[in-house]
Amino acid sequence: MAVISREIIEQAKLWRRDFHTRPELGLKEYGTARTISELLSSFGLDVHTGIAETGIVATLRNGEGPSIGLRADIDALPIQELNEFDHISQHPGLMHACGHDGHTAILLGAARHLSENRHFRGTVHFIFQPAEENVGGGEMMVKEGLFERFPMQAVYALHNWPGLPVGEVAVSQGPMMASQDNFYITLTGKGCHAAMPELGADPVVAGAQLILSLQSLISRRLSPLEQTVISLTQLQAGEAINVIPETLHMSGTLRCLSRTTRETCWRLIEEYVQAVPQPYGVKGEVRWEFGYPVTQNHPAQAVILRDAAENAPGITQVHFNNAPSMAAEDFAYLLEACPGAYFWLGADGTTPSASLHSPRYDFNDDIIPLGIGVLATLVERELRA
């Protein structure tokens, strides 16, 4: 069991609050990356910068042995913070509303602890990834040769998790989070006077039918065992109240827990978009914005992570093979390229945490030592001296 010093814990809390005051969007985390690099260099690590623009990999070697990676995300969100504490964001319209400031501080704390307490044999790569939020910095790092430049047998990551109590961890041997794709549908009919609908082809009525049909896709065209979410979130049509518009635009998101289901949904949505509007004399087209794949843990690494968490200081319960979330995470790209596992670290103290991406969210500093402890214990157990 790794024992984390009080000095490292308190320092990590200060780092976290400093990052929180100066959030930066994906691929623009220049100040954040500079601070991270300076700290890692001060720990004596071999630091490599400029991967996927602002990404960093720092390497700690301690003799011959296997190599593993630990990853944290470093970017913030375009959200105006509504908190009132001293470390509130100083960058208007930006905030760390997902806890990446805490993930970064935890990984820095683990790097310092392991550099000072080398109870392992082998190599650890500390991966500080930019642009997790929507931009896909994980995919960029993989494409730029992350695993070729820094070979590793496994890679691991964490995310703080509101809804799970402090001291608890959740990890599964399969999907942890869903894939994410966005779709943009255009229905084109024939505009006319609203009092004479027979002279036109109404995309609004066709759109209403399409929305209902897409929901029945899940209940009638897929097995109930195939967990899927289709959410229509945007709808725009018309300018005048007495005119049936020529076009209607709608968009939404698709979330799936397997590649097979995802591909089936792509095909079915395209079929519905073309077929459902036809009886109304309306033409349907769909444009896709393909996003993150399923965050799929590898079974062996999930067990290794579970065992490490069960032996980490302060962890009171480990939930194994829990239900996945339909949110998405671009650590999925790393897991497609390398064996590994991803876990949730409980964030709810005596007062439940605000939800992720809320303008009132703040990372719970009480879980910083727990996160450092799990990562350090993982390294010490998988790279046994």
Side-chain angles (χ1 to χ4, degrees):
M1 177 187 292
V3 179
I4 313 303
S5 73
R6 174 52 55 185
E7 180 187 356
I8 289 177
I9 292 169
E10 294 306 315
Q11 188 64 64
K13 291 180 180 180
L14 293 176
W15 295 331
R16 201 285 295 182
R17 295 191 174 204
D18 178 54
F19 290 132
H20 193 91
T21 64
R22 43 192 186 91
E24 297 171 298
L25 291 178
L27 305 182
K28 298 179 180 179
E29 311 97 327
Y30 299 110
T32 303
R34 183 167 53 252
T35 299
I36 292 169
S37 299
E38 291 171 353
L39 288 168
L40 292 167
S41 296
S42 73
F43 305 156
L45 275 62
D46 186 11
V47 180
H48 304 265
T49 61
I51 307 167
E53 189 66 32
T54 47
I56 301 161
V57 177
T59 299
L60 176 62
R61 296 182 176 86
N62 193 45
E64 297 296 323
S67 173
I68 65 173
L70 305 176
R71 170 271 202 179
D73 35 19
I74 67 174
D75 58 321
L77 282 157
I79 295 174
Q80 180 62 46
E81 185 162 8
L82 298 180
N83 291 311
E84 297 180 352
F85 40 61
D86 290 342
H87 60 278
I88 190 171
S89 169
Q90 299 302 305
H91 295 174
L94 303 179
M95 75 170 287
H96 274 292
C98 201
H100 297 184
D101 49 347
H103 304 161
T104 300
I106 285 172
L107 190 56
L108 284 168
R112 180 179 166 187
H113 169 84
L114 291 166
S115 69
E116 296 176 358
N117 302 273
R118 303 191 180 202
H119 304 310
F120 69 94
R121 297 284 293 179
T123 299
V124 185
H125 298 295
F126 300 92
I127 304 163
F128 294 85
Q129 181 215 301
E132 190 279 327
E133 298 287 357
N134 301 316
V135 183
E139 181 181 32
M140 294 174 64
M141 292 191 87
V142 170
K143 287 183 175 179
E144 290 187 19
L146 172 66
F147 295 113
E148 290 75 28
R149 292 180 61 185
F150 309 96
M152 56 192 83
Q153 282 70 59
V155 64
Y156 300 92
L158 66 82
H159 203 294
N160 79 100
W161 206 249
L164 192 67
V166 168
E168 298 186 14
V169 161
V171 61
S172 295
Q173 287 183 293
M176 285 292 292
M177 303 183 80
S179 62
Q180 180 235 332
D181 300 304
N182 298 329
F183 53 85
Y184 302 87
I185 297 169
T186 300
L187 300 184
T188 304
K190 181 181 178 182
C192 65
H193 196 296
M196 294 171 274
E198 73 279 6
L199 300 178
D202 192 344
V204 176
V205 174
Q209 187 61 51
L210 179 59
I211 291 170
L212 295 175
S213 297
L214 289 174
Q215 296 308 306
S216 68
L217 182 158
I218 297 173
S219 63
R220 288 296 176 265
R221 297 298 301 275
L222 298 176
S223 165
L225 301 178
E226 298 181 76
Q227 294 166 283
T228 303
V229 172
I230 299 175
S231 290
L232 278 296
T233 57
Q234 294 179 315
L235 189 69
Q236 299 94 25
E239 297 175 338
I241 198 167
N242 61 345
V243 176
I244 290 175
E246 187 90 4
T247 58
L248 178 145
H249 301 279
M250 65 174 73
S251 55
T253 185
L254 167 69
R255 308 298 175 105
C256 302
L257 290 176
S258 78
R259 175 74 184 186
T260 300
T261 303
R262 188 184 188 194
E263 292 177 348
T264 299
C265 287
W266 293 343
R267 175 177 57 80
L268 288 173
I269 289 173
E270 290 187 0
E271 286 182 7
Y272 277 49
V273 168
Q274 292 178 24
V276 172
Q278 283 184 358
Y280 301 93
V282 173
K283 179 183 178 181
E285 296 179 330
V286 60
R287 176 176 64 84
W288 287 95
E289 186 178 79
F290 298 114
Y292 301 164
V294 178
T295 304
Q296 180 95 12
N297 281 350
H298 295 249
Q301 283 67 40
V303 171
I304 290 169
L305 186 49
R306 176 200 65 188
D307 294 346
E310 289 177 342
N311 287 274
I315 300 302
T316 56
Q317 185 174 359
V318 177
H319 302 272
F320 193 55
N321 289 336
N322 55 294
S325 167
M326 300 308 287
E329 156 69 73
D330 85 339
F331 186 63
Y333 292 112
L334 279 68
L335 291 176
E336 284 192 330
C338 179
Y342 177 88
F343 71 97
W344 297 332
L345 183 65
D348 282 357
T350 53
T351 300
S353 170
S355 64
L356 300 175
H357 294 206
S358 163
R360 299 190 185 281
Y361 170 87
D362 188 37
F363 189 87
N364 184 352
D365 287 344
D366 291 342
I367 71 174
I368 286 177
L370 304 180
I372 297 173
V374 172
L375 296 182
T377 300
L378 172 66
V379 170
E380 293 175 1
R381 289 175 63 86
E382 191 163 2
L383 305 181
R384 286 183 174 88

